[in-house]
Amino acid sequence: MTALTRLRLKDFRNYESLSLDLDGRHVCLFGSNGAGKTNLLEAISQLGPGRGLRSASLSELTRHGAEGGWTVSANLDDRRIGVGLETDGGSAKRVIRIDGAPSQAGDLAELVRIVWLTPAMDSIFRGGASDRRRFFDRQVMAHIPSHGTAAARYERAMRERNALLERGHVDPAWADAIETRMAEAGAELAINRASVLESLQAAVDARPEGYFPKGDLSLEGEAETSAAAGEDFKTIFESLTETYRSMRRRDAAAGRTLTGPHRSDLKVIHRPTGMVAGDASTGQQKALLIGLILASATALAGDGGGPAPLLLLDEAAAHLDANRRAALFDELSALPGQSWLTGTERFLFDAFGDRAQHIEVDAGGAAILA
Ligand SMILES: Nc1ncnc2c1ncn2[C@@H]1O[C@H](COP(=O)(O)OP(=O)(O)OP(=O)(O)O)[C@@H](O)[C@H]1O
Ligand SMILES: [Mg+2]
């Protein structure tokens, strides 16, 4: 099983310094509210691409009162990996190490893949499209790490376009240049999303029937629809370019870009009832989401080349009844990557038994109990 066997934190959130040596089983963290359980998962999430489990900025992660930056280092199977924020006078930058040597984010992404579920995701089916899009883009990033940089390029170009339109007299050549960059990044986003949606749906379909129901997924967005239909990059790019050009007047009036992959939505149907997921009960939505995350981990594990994903489940067990908890632990045990779970009470993880290590987290410290 792909697993973290050592985790060291320095000046990360409430941890001044923490050192955990693990034996490679799954990990259950329990402890009272505010003890630092989610912070531990967040630390691990920094090893993956993007901003981690709480989308925090790098400096927010520094322990209050600490002198410099923070570090998270770990042994993942036989590799030593680490990330951190290094401060030097006024400047601060993210640094990455692999086996002791300074490295690039892309190299780290080849070694570690992480999927997570947090209580904040509970509302994605009811909330607006942006929450679902962010959730889905997270899954896409776990499969395709460059998705994050494509999204950043898209956002940057869009901000420039919005600023240009706001100014009134638009220089068409300038707008063309910006829209070309948007369409390039946008076509990449759409193709990434459509391809990951397909493997995610396949993984959902292949899951056993049980407590975590299946969903039918689709992407609502013109570019994604084209990508799903097999259109190539050039066709999607040209179509986006045309859309942006023809929308200049309306976008200028609206003060923002009204169409494009930044508006796409993930539609989820709760298969057992045929209802849009947002209309399902709270418990049904939660179970559906757990099923989706399990499918995401399975899809990653099955896509050849890359490492098996680590799974971070923040408070996933707390709202499940005993049967569902046991079913969750059984499913996690069948995955090829280590799972990390949190909860306020130790008994929540009883059914995991000796398939997991049980660790008590207590105000910036952690003790392995079993
Ligand atoms: N940058 C920081 N420096 C120091 N402490 C911080 C920092 N950021 C957050 N904390 C503190 O870390 C503590 C632990 O937070 P965390 O979210 O990990 O708790 P938790 O164990 O998950 O609790 P809960 O069960 O309520 O979810 C909180 O008291 C929080 O205020
Ligand atoms: Mg928490």
Side-chain angles (χ1 to χ4, degrees), residues 36-347:
K37 305 178 295 296
T38 305
N39 290 348
L40 247 175
L41 298 193
E42 189 182 29
I44 297 170
S45 74
Q46 297 303 318
L47 298 167
R51 295 177 62 161
L53 179 140
R54 281 192 178 105
S55 303
S57 68
L58 292 172
S59 56
E60 278 177 272
L61 301 173
T62 306
R63 184 176 61 85
H64 299 151
E67 292 283 313
W70 52 267
T71 55
V72 174
S73 48
N75 287 13
L76 179 71
D77 298 336
D78 56 350
R79 308 299 295 264
R80 284 183 296 126
I81 57 179
V83 296
L85 177 70
E86 224 162 59
T87 54
D88 182 16
S91 71
K93 65 173 196 297
R94 186 174 191 250
V95 288
I96 294 170
R97 289 186 168 270
I98 298 175
D99 296 327
S103 307
Q104 301 298 314
D107 299 324
L108 186 60
E110 305 262 311
L111 296 181
V112 50
R113 302 204 283 187
I114 309 176
V115 174
W116 59 75
L117 181 67
T118 69
M121 292 173 179
D122 283 357
S123 59
I124 60 160
F125 296 127
R126 258 189 204 132
S130 64
D131 290 341
R132 279 184 298 278
R133 194 169 52 243
R134 205 169 306 131
F135 167 81
F136 182 63
D137 276 337
R138 252 273 131 231
Q139 313 311 313
V140 179
M141 250 166 87
H143 285 259
I144 308 172
S146 63
H147 190 68
T149 52
R153 272 189 283 123
Y154 185 88
E155 288 289 327
R156 213 161 33 237
M158 185 168 68
R159 271 199 303 275
E160 284 179 44
R161 180 175 182 271
N162 291 347
L164 183 70
L165 293 180
E166 205 173 309
R167 246 174 272 156
H169 298 287
V170 173
D171 173 359
W174 194 354
D176 281 348
I178 294 174
E179 288 166 2
T180 297
R181 281 162 44 215
M182 274 179 79
E184 276 167 359
E188 189 178 334
L189 292 180
I191 288 170
N192 291 345
R193 284 173 180 163
S195 106
V196 170
L197 187 96
E198 198 182 324
S199 37
L200 191 54
Q201 184 69 65
V204 166
D205 294 343
R207 289 196 52 250
E209 301 294 338
Y211 289 116
F212 305 108
K214 298 181 182 186
D216 292 305
L217 315 173
S218 57
L219 286 165
E220 288 183 336
E222 230 175 275
E224 285 82 358
T225 306
S226 305
E231 301 282 10
D232 63 3
F233 178 89
K234 188 163 169 287
T235 310
I236 300 168
F237 163 77
E238 282 168 357
S239 157
L240 278 172
T241 310
E242 186 45 42
T243 303
Y244 297 135
R245 198 201 319 268
S246 66
M247 290 286 287
R248 272 177 210 168
R249 204 183 294 265
R250 269 180 60 191
D251 289 351
R256 63 201 163 97
T257 303
L258 292 171
T259 43
H262 62 289
R263 301 296 297 272
S264 302
D265 195 358
L266 171 73
K267 196 171 159 212
V268 182
I269 303 287
H270 181 256
R271 193 180 290 175
T273 60
M275 272 190 297
V276 178
D279 292 340
S281 79
T282 311
Q284 285 173 326
Q285 290 184 40
K286 178 116 196 162
L288 186 62
L289 194 55
I290 291 177
L292 264 183
I293 285 295
L294 290 170
S296 190
T298 316
L300 275 171
D303 85 347
L310 304 173
L311 199 49
L312 311 177
L313 301 172
D314 195 18
E315 284 175 47
H319 304 285
L320 300 176
D321 58 46
N323 289 333
R324 284 181 172 77
R325 283 203 300 274
L328 174 64
F329 302 149
D330 288 345
E331 285 214 37
L332 295 178
S333 300
L335 287 171
Q338 184 183 39
S339 299
W340 288 68
L341 295 89
T342 69
T344 48
E345 313 294 336
R346 182 177 184 165
F347 82 87

